[in-house]
Amino acid sequence: MTLYSPVFILAFLPTSAVIYRTVPKNFRPQALAAMSLAFYILAAGEHFYLLPILAILVYLLSFAGKKGFFVCLFMFVPLRLFGISALGVSFFILRAAAYIYDGKRERNFFKVFAHLLFFPCVHAGPLASYKDFESGLSRYADFAQMSRGICMALYGAFKKLFFADALYVTFDKFFVGGTSLSAFLALIAYALYIYFDFSGCSDMAVGIASVLGFDLPKNFDFPYMSRSVSEFFRRWHITLGRWLFKYIYIPLGGSKKGSVRAVLSLGAVWLASALWHGTRLSYLVWGMYFFVIAIAEKLILPKGFKIGRLCTFCLVLFGWVFFFSDTPAAAFAFFTRLFCLGETLLYCRADIYNAIRNVPFILLAALFATPLPRRLLNMLYSRARVALYILALPLFCLILSCLVSSGHIPFLYASF
Amino acid sequence: MEKIFVKSAFALCFILFVCVLLCPADTWLESENRYIGKLELSDKSFSDRLPFRTSLMHVNRDISLALGKNEFAGAFFGENGYIFSNEEVSLAVLEKNLAFADELSSVIETHLCVIPSKTDALVSYLPKFYDSMRGELWQVSAKNKNNVSDVLPIILLAANNGKYVYYRGDHHLTALGSYYVYKSLATSLGFAAYGSDAFSVGIVKTNFSGSDARKMLTETGDKIALFRYSGDSRLITENLDSGEKYDGLYDFDKLISNDPYGIFPAPDCGRVKITLGEGRENLLLVCDSYGDSLAPFLARHYDLDIIDPRYYGGSVKDLIKENNYTTALLCFGMDTLAGKEILYKLMF
């Protein structure tokens, strides 16, 4: 079960929302913990027991003070080394470490358990602090918040099911081609796929949490509109960026202890980010690549200077090559293809066919990666709310039509 | 207003959930050619049971087509009303299957007949710029050690002349297409093929929706024709999987079933025998579903033992020994031969 599963949409979510609203305030943490546990068991498959057990450990560790922070992070190491991949474990560890570091020694176990396994966020965040979570526990969602949440969740599901899944198929189609044009189109499709997959999941999580009365931080702010790579990562996976800043960059000295310390802190941030994604060497190269660019932007370029949208987009695109390649060698082979080096053909007949069939969809997806549709929705929300609510019905039908029509690609970030 | 919206959204989910719960297990899914089965706590089971499922799929298909994709559920539109399927083929798989075919030739005289799939043969009906890039597959299959019957040229020629050799909405050869394969097999197998005037052709189904048409949620108005000959009703067809036995070659009841192509002998089953009981020569026909419509032609010359390795659980080698078969014909579509590793089963 995932956030876009018919089982979740038709049965789990409405039932949970009704139960959560009807239980007395004192029992809400217990109710939420039970729902989150049920969701996790249904969603996680083979290793369903792992995170619930770790959540108990984290609860106990939180009483050991900040030492628990490192213990918590090191729990991650054996999981990574032995290749044990439980659903959402990467996000869980960050949530748990932040909870311990913040020093909140909550005595109510169910509150901690519900926070760590909060079902809307268990797949792929966003990473909300315990403080945000706790404030959500103390209030009911009013109908305005619930309706906003429903619209947000629908829009997130639309991004995931209509765009991301189809873009992955498009990426796959171009990726197997051997030409430069197919590599270029594969890269564009991947950049859009990963954005729609992850931001769609985040939107769904924020929307669903909103239905229950929780305000979660947004995770994406149209990152492909960024004018520098540093700005890109302030707009991409925002909550991870904030986590790394708060729990790694600042404790290591940040930029307040000279340039060398700042560079080292930034290096640690990128190393942590790469290792968090996985132990593949290509992730390390990915982290190093962006570390070098971030250093260049910070130290070499004049302060306030922006390299521009196109240049940023290209640099980010090249970064994705390391991200989706299994090894650095595979990444460099892809670059050879992309830049038409060696015996690579510029294009072939099959590319023309695939381009004709897929470029209109890629362009539509690119349009939806800009703020324009969001601005339109915001305008509708403020000026013609009824129209927005009416629009939700065809959007829901479209989501259902995607659900019944084809197989779906699991959330990419749920596998980290 | 928000209250109405939220309550309506929850009510809609609740109604859909009730519909899912009440949907009977024997509901037939036309596009997938299957029943939905028992309700389970799985996404597939829930999405199968959603009300207006087919209409929702139509919406999705129409949007895909409107965006210029020309593709839906693994099928795509070609010219002249033909629908093609995306076929996942690889040279490595083909080579493995052919290697097993070679090994079989050490046990029995083996003939190989690779049937071109629609993508191979109906090149002029493929969408503009479509490139199946399958020339290499044909070069490799032609080099096989066995007696290879090269049916590609005759099918290509017939298709280019506008002959109805493939169904528009199904991947199989029509009876006419199979007739051309039968003709080209004559030299290799050493029988004298009958001319087309030795058959009476009759249409038995006029609105046949094949697998490609069903994937695309459309109808192509295909017709199933049979090439009958005098005496074909004296043959006895025996399905050794189900124990079913009937006179003649065709199971006409299948015409009103969900799979009318099943009228031909050996549909989706492991072993079928077609015999006349007059001491004719035996032929072991190892084939996929392309062989189903070819079998009636071959049954005019041989008693047939038809094995489909996808479903047959027994040992082919034992079968050859037990029945003293001297000749085997391997007849597979290129989409099967280069798409699935199945011929290793011949070695057991």
Side-chain angles (χ1 to χ4, degrees):
Chain A
M1 186 163 69
T2 61
L3 298 182
Y4 56 80
S5 295
V7 184
F8 180 80
I9 297 169
L10 302 186
F12 193 92
L13 179 60
T15 314
S16 303
V18 170
I19 291 172
Y20 187 70
R21 271 187 87 85
T22 46
V23 294
K25 204 172 173 180
N26 289 346
F27 290 101
R28 271 195 229 159
Q30 284 87 332
L32 204 55
M35 287 171 211
S36 296
L37 180 64
F39 178 84
Y40 194 77
I41 288 170
L42 289 170
E46 198 186 354
H47 297 299
F48 69 90
Y49 53 85
L50 198 65
L51 292 202
I53 291 172
L54 287 181
I56 297 168
L57 279 176
V58 170
Y59 171 72
L60 297 172
L61 268 176
S62 68
F63 296 103
K66 289 200 177 176
K67 278 178 278 177
F69 176 76
F70 296 103
V71 177
C72 186
L73 287 182
F74 279 109
M75 286 198 304
F76 200 37
V77 177
L79 295 177
R80 274 276 180 263
L81 286 179
F82 294 114
I84 300 167
S85 172
L87 174 77
V89 67
S90 304
F91 289 90
F92 175 89
I93 293 291
L94 296 188
R95 253 193 306 272
Y99 169 71
I100 293 171
Y101 189 91
D102 289 344
K104 176 80 184 169
R105 292 169 189 182
E106 175 60 61
R107 297 217 162 264
N108 186 339
F109 166 74
F110 295 105
K111 279 189 181 179
V112 180
F113 190 88
H115 165 60
L116 294 173
L117 285 174
F118 187 39
F119 70 87
C121 307
V122 79
H123 276 98
L127 294 162
S129 68
Y130 180 73
K131 203 174 142 195
D132 290 342
F133 176 78
E134 199 179 26
S135 66
L137 273 177
S138 59
R139 61 169 182 264
Y140 275 128
D142 56 22
F143 283 108
Q145 189 186 8
M146 287 176 94
S147 62
R148 269 201 311 276
I150 291 169
C151 291
M152 184 100 178
L154 280 177
Y155 192 60
F158 167 68
K159 279 160 110 177
K160 163 68 186 156
L161 296 168
F162 185 74
F163 284 118
D165 287 354
L167 282 164
Y168 186 80
V169 175
T170 308
F171 160 71
D172 207 31
K173 205 168 268 178
F174 286 118
F175 187 74
V176 293
T179 61
S180 187
L181 178 65
S182 65
F184 172 71
L185 290 170
L187 198 48
I188 300 275
Y190 187 81
L192 290 167
Y193 152 70
I194 195 168
Y195 168 72
F196 282 107
D197 186 80
F198 196 9
S199 73
C201 179
S202 294
D203 286 354
M204 271 188 267
V206 172
I208 291 162
S210 205
V211 170
L212 298 172
F214 294 85
D215 281 325
L216 297 184
K218 69 175 176 182
N219 225 4
F220 288 86
D221 187 19
F222 306 104
Y224 290 129
M225 294 286 104
S226 306
R227 289 191 168 90
S228 70
V229 172
S230 307
E231 186 189 341
F232 176 84
F233 283 103
R234 283 196 297 274
R235 289 160 158 240
W236 175 278
H237 204 174
I238 297 167
T239 55
L240 175 69
R242 281 188 195 149
W243 192 100
L244 293 167
F245 183 78
K246 188 176 173 186
Y247 300 106
I248 292 185
Y249 187 74
I250 295 295
L252 288 176
S255 55
K256 296 211 169 139
K257 293 187 178 173
S259 307
V260 176
R261 196 62 176 265
V263 170
L264 288 174
S265 305
L266 207 56
V269 163
W270 278 107
L271 180 68
S273 178
L275 289 175
W276 178 78
H277 283 94
T279 48
R280 247 167 37 188
L281 196 57
S282 53
Y283 285 134
L284 283 177
V285 179
W286 172 81
M288 213 156 65
Y289 169 81
F290 280 116
F291 168 62
V292 171
I293 294 174
I295 290 297
E297 282 187 348
K298 205 175 173 74
L299 301 178
I300 300 170
L301 296 177
K303 204 170 182 185
F305 180 83
K306 305 268 184 181
I307 55 173
R309 276 187 187 137
L310 187 64
C311 206
T312 303
F313 184 63
C314 289
L315 289 173
V316 171
L317 275 187
F318 299 151
W320 290 137
V321 177
F322 297 111
F323 200 81
F324 66 66
S325 299
D326 289 336
T327 59
F332 289 114
F334 188 87
F335 280 122
T336 308
R337 211 179 114 192
L338 183 67
F339 294 116
C340 207
L341 303 172
E343 291 176 0
T344 313
L345 291 173
L346 185 60
Y347 71 94
C348 67
R349 193 181 155 87
D351 290 343
I352 299 174
Y353 176 77
N354 284 330
I356 290 169
R357 297 301 173 197
N358 292 288
V359 166
F361 179 68
I362 290 176
L363 290 174
L364 183 72
L367 179 73
F368 273 81
T370 69
L372 284 173
R374 178 59 65 88
R375 274 186 208 149
L376 185 72
L377 290 175
N378 286 344
M379 195 186 74
L380 278 177
Y381 188 78
S382 54
R383 292 186 194 171
R385 207 167 291 180
V386 182
L388 184 70
Y389 293 154
I390 292 169
L391 201 66
L393 185 64
L395 190 64
F396 184 59
C397 290
L398 182 61
I399 289 163
L400 290 181
S401 81
C402 293
L403 280 174
V404 297
S405 294
S406 55
H408 302 289
I409 319 291
F411 288 125
L412 178 69
Y413 267 73
S415 61
F416 288 132
Chain B
M1 187 164 40
E2 278 82 11
K3 195 174 174 178
I4 296 170
F5 175 68
V6 171
K7 288 193 170 179
S8 310
F10 276 78
L12 181 62
C13 288
F14 178 73
I15 291 166
L16 290 174
F17 182 51
V18 171
C19 291
V20 165
L21 293 180
L22 296 178
C23 185
D26 59 354
T27 306
W28 177 252
L29 296 178
E30 184 70 34
S31 61
E32 278 115 294
N33 209 22
R34 63 181 172 88
Y35 292 101
I36 57 172
K38 278 185 201 163
L39 179 65
E40 291 166 12
L41 198 62
S42 72
D43 293 346
K44 191 169 167 15
S45 188
F46 264 57
S47 61
D48 280 353
R49 290 177 153 74
L50 280 174
F52 310 111
R53 185 179 184 275
T54 311
S55 306
L56 289 168
M57 288 176 80
H58 273 99
V59 168
N60 200 269
R61 182 204 59 179
D62 292 347
I63 290 172
S64 285
L65 297 181
L67 285 168
K69 283 191 182 172
N70 189 39
E71 192 176 317
F72 185 73
F76 58 94
F77 282 118
E79 306 290 330
N80 204 20
Y82 277 94
I83 300 172
F84 297 83
S85 272
N86 283 323
E87 292 162 3
E88 285 186 18
V89 290
S90 93
L91 194 59
V93 173
L94 177 68
E95 282 172 339
K96 277 183 190 166
N97 278 327
L98 291 177
F100 286 117
D102 283 345
E103 276 191 51
L104 189 71
S105 62
S106 62
V107 180
I108 187 172
E109 181 191 325
T110 307
H111 299 259
L112 177 67
C113 170
V114 185
I115 311 273
S117 69
K118 254 157 97 171
T119 319
D120 298 305
L122 301 184
V123 181
S124 54
Y125 296 126
L126 285 167
K128 209 173 178 185
F129 295 115
Y130 185 89
D131 189 355
S132 60
M133 297 184 288
R134 290 160 63 135
E136 205 178 351
L137 297 179
W138 284 100
Q139 284 170 13
V140 168
S141 68
K143 283 179 197 160
N144 189 257
K145 281 187 230 160
N146 293 300
N147 301 313
V148 180
S149 298
D150 194 3
V151 298
L152 181 63
I154 194 168
I155 295 289
L156 267 176
L157 187 67
N160 285 339
N161 287 335
K163 304 271 189 196
Y164 185 52
V165 284
Y166 288 92
Y167 298 106
R168 283 189 166 76
D170 193 73
H171 61 288
H172 290 113
L173 287 168
T174 59
L176 178 63
S178 293
Y179 172 73
Y180 287 122
V181 175
Y182 155 76
K183 289 271 279 184
S184 60
L185 278 171
T187 323
S188 159
L189 283 171
F191 62 81
Y194 289 92
S196 57
D197 50 356
F199 297 90
S200 63
V201 182
I203 291 169
V204 289
K205 177 92 180 166
T206 50
N207 54 348
F208 168 52
S209 279
S211 55
D212 296 335
R214 283 197 304 265
K215 277 185 209 167
M216 265 292 187
L217 308 170
T218 189
E219 286 177 4
T220 44
D222 277 313
K223 298 176 179 72
I224 295 181
L226 301 179
F227 277 48
R228 306 290 306 268
Y229 46 89
S230 60
D232 66 358
S233 51
R234 286 193 295 121
L235 291 158
I236 294 161
T237 303
E238 186 181 3
N239 184 331
L240 278 87
D241 287 5
S242 63
E244 196 186 353
K245 201 171 183 179
Y246 53 86
D247 291 341
L249 289 162
Y250 303 105
D251 183 357
F252 288 93
D253 292 345
K254 289 276 165 51
L255 286 176
I256 50 165
S257 74
N258 294 312
D259 182 18
Y261 186 77
I263 185 176
F264 294 108
D268 298 341
C269 57
R271 189 176 174 199
V272 168
K273 285 186 91 164
I274 301 173
T275 48
L276 189 60
E278 291 177 359
R280 297 190 306 166
E281 193 182 341
N282 285 313
L283 178 69
L284 177 66
L285 175 60
V286 184
C287 63
D288 58 6
S289 55
Y290 285 96
D292 298 352
S293 58
L294 176 67
F297 295 102
L298 296 174
R300 200 165 181 181
H301 303 270
Y302 303 97
D303 279 354
L304 296 175
D305 200 343
I306 307 170
I307 300 293
D308 188 335
R310 295 174 303 169
Y311 306 106
Y312 183 63
S315 158
V316 177
K317 277 190 170 174
D318 288 349
L319 193 75
I320 293 167
K321 273 185 206 161
E322 284 163 17
N323 295 280
N324 294 321
Y325 287 133
T326 53
T327 315
L329 170 63
L330 307 183
C331 177
F332 290 91
M334 181 57 98
D335 48 344
T336 308
L337 215 52
K340 297 177 195 114
E341 285 183 34
I342 53 165
L343 291 195
Y344 68 91
K345 291 185 178 178
L346 301 182
M347 295 300 105
F348 300 108

